[in-house]
Amino acid sequence: MTKRALFDAALAATKDWHAALPQAAAFCDWPTDLAYTERAPHMLSAANRIQTTPGTPNSASAPLLAALQALAPHLEWRHTYSADEVGHHFLDHFGWFELAGPTGHFVTRRTRITVGYWGAGLHYGRHHHTAEELYTVVAGHGTFHLDGAPDLNLLPGDTRFHASDQPHALTTTDSPILTLVFWRGDGLADPPRLTLEETAP
Ligand code: ZN
């Protein structure tokens, strides 16, 4: 397959995933303004890790996982955070990319669809952002922390909603986790920010 065909296949698998998950379909409409854009690949160790140790999918998420793995060498992988903020070990086992959104491989102004990977045994500390968010788990599992709510261990097909500026965090134990995340509302192009402890309630 050509690179463009791989992107189209991954977008089609993502559209199927969005349509099949009631929480995702209710969270946002599938964007109708998607425009493929050439973006230079940017490799991080996460690109290899989602191919070698992605975590276990379920039967519904296996096609999406395969489509995302095929894209791995062509993606503009990002970290957002610095080693000063999260440490070198975290950065070596973490990466994300914007499949669709204001600065995505497919440009849209309606939503932002990102894919995030965390290796086993990581803690992604409390962070927040203006846009509302729906996490969906594609492979592996992890514990999602949300201010004012019980922790949830999420498996493939599970989802969690984060309201605007509601701090949340993620811990992985014995498995990596691969997530596909939808954003809506204001601040679609903004990065998440770590929530400083002195601002905690
Ligand atoms: Zn978030």
Side-chain angles (χ1 to χ4, degrees):
M1 265 201 267
T2 64
K3 172 183 164 183
R4 177 63 200 274
L6 292 173
F7 272 99
D8 286 344
L11 189 71
T14 302
K15 185 179 183 182
D16 289 346
W17 182 247
H18 172 266
L21 280 182
Q23 297 92 337
F27 180 78
C28 60
D29 291 334
W30 184 255
T32 55
D33 60 339
L34 293 162
Y36 177 77
T37 307
E38 280 293 335
R39 300 188 72 85
H42 181 246
M43 287 302 103
L44 297 175
S45 53
N48 291 325
R49 294 187 190 282
I50 77 159
Q51 293 175 310
T52 57
T53 51
T56 305
N58 65 13
S59 58
S61 67
L64 175 58
L65 172 60
L68 296 174
Q69 287 175 314
L71 269 190
H74 306 292
L75 291 163
E76 184 197 41
W77 288 93
R78 305 180 192 177
H79 268 156
T80 303
Y81 301 107
S82 67
D84 282 349
E85 289 176 300
V86 297
H88 289 286
H89 178 81
F90 186 96
L91 293 182
D92 190 41
H93 295 79
F94 162 70
W96 67 279
F97 63 89
E98 185 172 325
L99 181 65
T103 61
H105 290 279
F106 292 91
V107 172
T108 170
R109 301 278 163 199
R110 309 268 172 86
T111 185
R112 190 184 208 185
I113 304 172
T114 60
V115 175
Y117 173 86
W118 290 262
L122 290 189
H123 179 66
Y124 179 19
R126 291 169 75 246
H127 58 282
H128 63 278
H129 39 77
T130 302
E132 294 182 311
E133 176 174 67
L134 186 77
Y135 263 85
T136 76
V137 178
V138 177
H141 60 87
T143 301
F144 285 71
H145 316 283
L146 178 63
D147 280 19
D151 287 351
L152 287 181
N153 185 40
L154 299 191
L155 304 169
D158 290 340
T159 66
R160 188 160 227 193
F161 173 74
H162 298 144
S164 179
D165 286 326
Q166 187 178 25
H168 46 281
L170 169 64
T171 303
T172 57
T173 54
D174 59 344
S175 167
I177 191 167
L178 183 69
T179 65
L180 191 134
V181 182
F182 298 93
W183 276 19
R184 70 180 182 196
D186 293 336
L188 280 188
D190 298 341
R193 304 284 184 204
L194 294 178
T195 307
L196 300 176
E197 291 309 316
E198 50 268 33
T199 66

